[in-house]
Structure formats: structure tokens, C-alpha cells
């Protein structure tokens, strides 16, 4: 994802994020209720009942013109192109892609009702205004588009993990500075951090201090740029050396290079994160787990009226996991392809994934158009 992703909110790449399994289930239940209520209002009682009971209501005779935000980062942009192909070839919609980014897209949708669809909204970056817009019925959350959310943490190469199965946690890795040599001084280990203008640098630095990385024989290396961080991983894999540091998913790098995310041995303490872990130069940081961001597709309240119930059911079912996204992003990177080509690659290669989003007759239309 772009550097812009890493400046969404203070503290971390995806923002001040929270998740426990119980909270997530409760939140998903609330979102489901809001979504269904919005559909009933927009489509009428019978369409709402059809959606709730069968999941495949009768398709409208036609589909209007829809605008979709093509966000600045890869996963969201490719999903916009996937939506365009499916909505046009499968449902007969006319789709316009418009440039988008988290804050301006949300503000425009909330105030002006345009664009109609935002494929990825990282909820934590604007939780309060988003909740208000959902509560007031101006916007609708249709699905948790990334099933495992936006993920952050400290990672090591799979080949290091396989060779040293005792390394399960970050604390385990810090016992072996020799396995993760610093490019500046091979007598020390290295923990690779984000570039200095990314918010994720703050919690990574605080966690390094909480773990007493210096005393363990490591040094914290701040990447000069996104390209610098990526190239440090690529070089480690080329040399079959160890690498330890911050990264996130979904990304092309994790599609190209098999990495293992290490545990911090503790869960995510949201209060501690907000009061210290994500605060610059916190005086007494403690070990804390990274949060996971909920990532949703958002539509305006006019979409059910404009497009009909069938496209809304598609948007409610449309989900993919980070491993799939990583693979598609890696393919685009390796082939120097564009986002349309990446969307077509996904539709041709991952039919078992997307065919579950659609009725059989719509699947046949999309396949015939590829």
C-alpha cells in the first residue's frame, strides 16, 4: 500500500485500531443490523425480507450509473476494477471510476452522496464520523471486505522460521541477533522500522524500547522510504539472510516473499496503545500487540435505489482474504501490470473465490466477458 496509507491516523499504519474476537463479532452483528435496516428502508419491506431470507432476491430489470472510488492503494484500487467488471458485465450497470482516498472520499460520500461506493474504508481512521453517518442512514456498510482485516506486526522470513522453530515470538527472535544481522554492523542484529514520516514508526520504536532491543544486541534501523524498506526484505531473501522488522498486509511484498508474523506474547491493549504505544517518545512503553483494522465497503443510501437489490447482495457477499490480495498485488508488481489487468488476473485465476459472491447466471456472464 502507498505511504499515504501510513498517515491515516496517529499511532499505526491503519490507525488506532482495536479487535478482540468478541468485540469483532458484536460489531459485525451491529453492522449487519444497520445494513439490513438500510436496505429495508431503501428497497421496501419485500425486498428487505427477500435479502434476509434467501440472499438472492429477484434482480432488477436494469442497473443505473454508479461511481466507485479508485483509492490510492493497491488492494482497494484493484477491487474497484473488479467491481467495475462484475457490475457492468454481470448486472448491466454503467460504472465510472473516480480518484479517491480515505478522508476526502468519506467526506464527499457523507456530504454529497458521491461517489456511490468506496471499496475499502479502514474504519478506525474515521470511526466517530463513520458511526454517525451509518446511524443517520446517510451511508451503509455492506461487508467486511478484508476477511482477516488490515494486519500489522514484526515479521521474519519463512526460511528462518523453518530453520529455527523455537522462534515463535518477537522475544524469541531478540535472543538471536546473529540471525538478523544489521546491514550497518553485522556484529549486531537489526529491527527494521518504517520511514520517518509514517505513523507506524512511532509504535515500532516504542515497542523496541519496551523490549530493550539495544540490550539484546540489536539496533533499530529507520527506513528512508517505502522502497528502502521493501529493498531490505528483497536483499535479505536474495542473500538468504535473516530479516526482522515491521510490515503489514495486504501488500505485494508479502505476496512475493513468504514471511511469518511473530507474536508479542500478549494481546492488544487498546487503552495502553492510545495512551503510550502510539505516542511519540512515551516515557514508559510496555510490550503490546499490534491491533488489526476492520476494513469495510461503504455505499451511499442511494445505491439500493439506483442499482437495485441484486448488486447490493453482491456487495454484501464480496470478500477476500489477505493471502489472495497479496498474490494479486504481487502478480501486478512482477508483471508491471495495471489495475485493470490485475482485476482480470484475479477473475481468471481465483474463480472459486468470486463465484461464491454471485448467482450462477451472473457468474456465466462475467466469465463470458473475460
Amino acid at each position: 500500500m502507498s505511504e499515504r496509507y501510513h498517515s491515516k491516523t496517529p499511532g499505526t499504519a491503519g490507525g488506532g485500531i482495536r479487535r478482540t474476537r468478541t468485540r469483532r463479532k458484536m460489531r459485525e452483528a451491529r453492522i449487519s443490523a444497520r445494513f439490513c435496516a438500510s436496505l429495508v428502508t431503501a428497497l421496501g419491506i419485500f425486498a428487505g425480507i427477500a435479502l434476509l431470507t434467501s440472499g438472492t432476491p429477484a434482480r432488477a430489470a436494469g442497473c443505473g450509473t454508479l461511481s466507485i472510488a479508485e483509492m490510492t492503494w493497491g488492494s482497494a484500487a484493484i477491487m474497484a476494477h473488479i467491481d467495475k467488471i462484475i457490475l457492468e458485465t454481470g448486472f448491466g450497470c454503467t460504472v465510472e471510476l473516480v480518484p479517491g482516498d480515505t478522508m476526502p472520499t468519506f467526506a464527499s460520500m457523507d456530504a454529497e452522496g458521491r461517489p456511490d461506493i468506496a471499496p475499502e474504508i479502514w474504519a478506525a481512521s474515521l470511526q466517530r464520523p463513520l458511526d454517525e453517518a451509518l446511524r443517520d442512514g446517510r451511508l451503509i456498510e455492506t461487508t467486511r471486505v478484508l476477511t482477516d482485516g488490515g494486519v500489522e506486526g514484526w515479521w521474519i522470513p519463512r526460511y528462518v522460521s523453518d530453520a529455527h522453530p523455537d522462534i515463535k515470538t518477537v522475544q524469541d527472535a531478540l535472543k538471536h541477533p546473529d540471525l538478523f544481522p544489521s546491514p550497518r554492523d553485522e556484529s549486531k542484529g537489526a529491527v527494521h522500522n518504517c520511514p520517518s514520516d509514517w505513523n507506524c514508526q512511532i509504535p515500532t520504536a516504542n515497542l523496541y524500547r519496551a523490549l530493550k532491543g539495544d540490550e539484546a544486541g540489536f539496533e533499530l534501523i529507520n527506513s528512508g522510504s517505502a522502497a528502502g524498506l521493501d529493498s531490505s526484505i528483497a536483499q535479505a531473501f536474495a542473500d538468504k539472510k535473516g530479516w526482522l522488522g515491521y510490515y503489514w498486509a495486504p501488500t505485494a511484498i508479502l505476496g512475493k516473499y513468504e514471511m511469518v508474523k511473530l507474536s508479542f506474547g500478549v494481546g492488544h491493549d487498546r487503552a495502553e496503545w492510545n495512551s503510550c504505544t502510539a505516542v511519540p517518545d512515551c516515557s514508559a512503553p510496555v510490550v503490546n500487540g499490534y491491533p488489526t483494522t476492520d476494513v469495510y465497503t461503504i455505499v451511499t443510501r442511494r445505491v439500493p435505489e439506483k442499482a437495485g437489490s441484486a448488486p447490493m447482495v453482491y456487495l454484501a457477499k464480496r470478500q477476500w482474504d489477505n493471502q489472495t490480495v497479496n498474490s494479486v498485488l504481487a502478480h501486478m508488481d512482477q508483471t508491471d501490470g495495471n489495475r485493470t489487468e490485475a482485476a482480470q488476473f484475479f477473475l481468471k485465476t481465483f474463480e472459486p473465490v468470486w463465484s461464491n459472491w454471485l448467482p450462477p447466471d451472473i457468474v456465466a456472464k462475467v466469465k463470458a466477458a473475460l
Side-chain angles (χ1 to χ4, degrees):
M1 199 172 290
S2 69
E3 292 185 27
R4 190 169 191 102
Y5 161 64
H6 289 270
S7 59
K8 285 182 177 176
T9 55
T12 183
I17 310 159
R18 76 286 297 168
R19 187 189 73 170
T20 64
R21 185 167 297 183
T22 300
R23 287 174 183 158
R24 184 180 69 188
K25 289 181 179 178
M26 292 174 64
R27 175 167 173 73
E28 288 176 350
R30 290 196 300 270
I31 287 165
S32 177
R34 285 197 298 261
F35 170 53
C36 293
S38 299
L39 280 182
V40 169
T41 300
L43 301 177
I45 297 296
F46 294 106
I49 291 174
L51 172 60
L52 292 171
T53 56
S54 70
T56 54
R59 284 180 290 282
C63 176
T65 299
L66 298 172
S67 55
I68 302 177
E70 183 177 358
M71 301 300 211
T72 56
W73 60 94
S75 57
I78 293 170
M79 182 56 80
H81 284 265
I82 292 170
D83 285 341
K84 177 177 171 65
I85 293 170
I86 289 177
L87 289 170
E88 288 187 338
T89 63
F91 295 99
C93 307
T94 299
V95 175
E96 176 190 7
L97 298 183
V98 298
D101 209 341
T102 301
M103 297 302 184
T105 293
F106 168 78
S108 179
M109 291 177 72
D110 191 30
E112 303 173 15
R114 179 176 171 81
D116 296 300
I117 301 168
E120 275 189 26
I121 289 292
W122 294 65
S125 62
L126 34 74
Q127 195 67 65
R128 182 174 296 177
L130 176 59
D131 284 346
E132 290 176 358
L134 296 170
R135 182 196 63 212
D136 296 342
R138 297 188 299 276
L139 300 177
I140 302 168
E141 280 180 355
T142 64
T143 190
R144 191 168 185 261
V145 63
L146 294 180
T147 56
D148 36 9
V151 177
E152 301 173 80
W154 291 17
W155 307 70
I156 63 174
R158 169 68 68 182
Y159 55 78
V160 174
S161 176
D162 289 344
H164 301 274
D166 58 307
I167 300 179
K168 303 293 186 185
T169 67
V170 171
Q171 291 87 335
D172 294 334
L174 292 177
K175 296 175 184 176
H176 302 281
D178 57 302
L179 295 180
F180 308 99
S182 169
R184 299 191 301 213
D185 181 354
E186 291 202 355
S187 69
K188 295 182 178 181
V191 174
H192 295 264
N193 200 350
C194 314
S196 57
D197 58 343
W198 288 11
N199 290 328
C200 52
Q201 187 182 75
I202 297 167
T204 304
N206 282 335
L207 289 171
Y208 177 83
R209 289 195 294 124
L211 291 160
K212 299 181 179 178
D214 288 344
E215 295 180 17
F218 281 75
E219 60 179 347
L220 185 63
I221 296 181
N222 294 325
S223 303
S225 64
L229 183 62
D230 290 354
S231 66
S232 69
I233 295 174
Q235 190 62 54
F237 272 75
D239 297 338
K240 287 299 179 184
K241 290 185 176 181
W243 187 95
L244 172 65
Y246 171 89
Y247 217 79
W248 74 99
T251 50
I253 282 289
L254 294 184
K256 292 170 65 176
Y257 303 109
E258 193 171 3
M259 306 276 279
V260 174
K261 186 164 77 73
L262 299 177
S263 167
F264 280 84
V266 296
H268 172 62
D269 185 332
R270 178 185 174 189
E272 175 66 25
W273 189 273
N274 292 336
S275 65
C276 179
T277 312
V279 176
D281 301 317
C282 173
S283 61
V286 299
V287 179
N288 198 353
Y290 278 87
T292 300
T293 279
D294 289 328
V295 183
Y296 293 97
T297 294
I298 306 295
V299 304
T300 66
R301 63 184 177 185
R302 298 188 187 123
V303 171
E305 301 169 356
K306 293 170 65 174
S309 59
M312 285 295 292
V313 172
Y314 156 68
L315 291 171
K317 290 183 175 181
R318 180 180 69 11
Q319 297 177 303
W320 53 357
D321 60 27
N322 283 341
Q323 183 175 355
T324 301
V325 183
N326 291 343
S327 297
V328 176
L329 289 169
H331 173 81
M332 184 173 70
D333 182 71
Q334 291 167 336
T335 60
D336 292 324
N338 59 39
R339 292 161 173 178
T340 299
E341 292 167 340
Q344 293 171 340
F345 167 77
F346 166 76
L347 292 169
K348 293 174 181 177
T349 308
F350 293 92
E351 183 181 335
V353 176
W354 63 267
S355 62
N356 288 322
W357 305 341
L358 299 162
D361 60 324
I362 300 298
V363 172
K365 289 182 179 180
V366 174
K367 289 176 64 177
L370 294 177

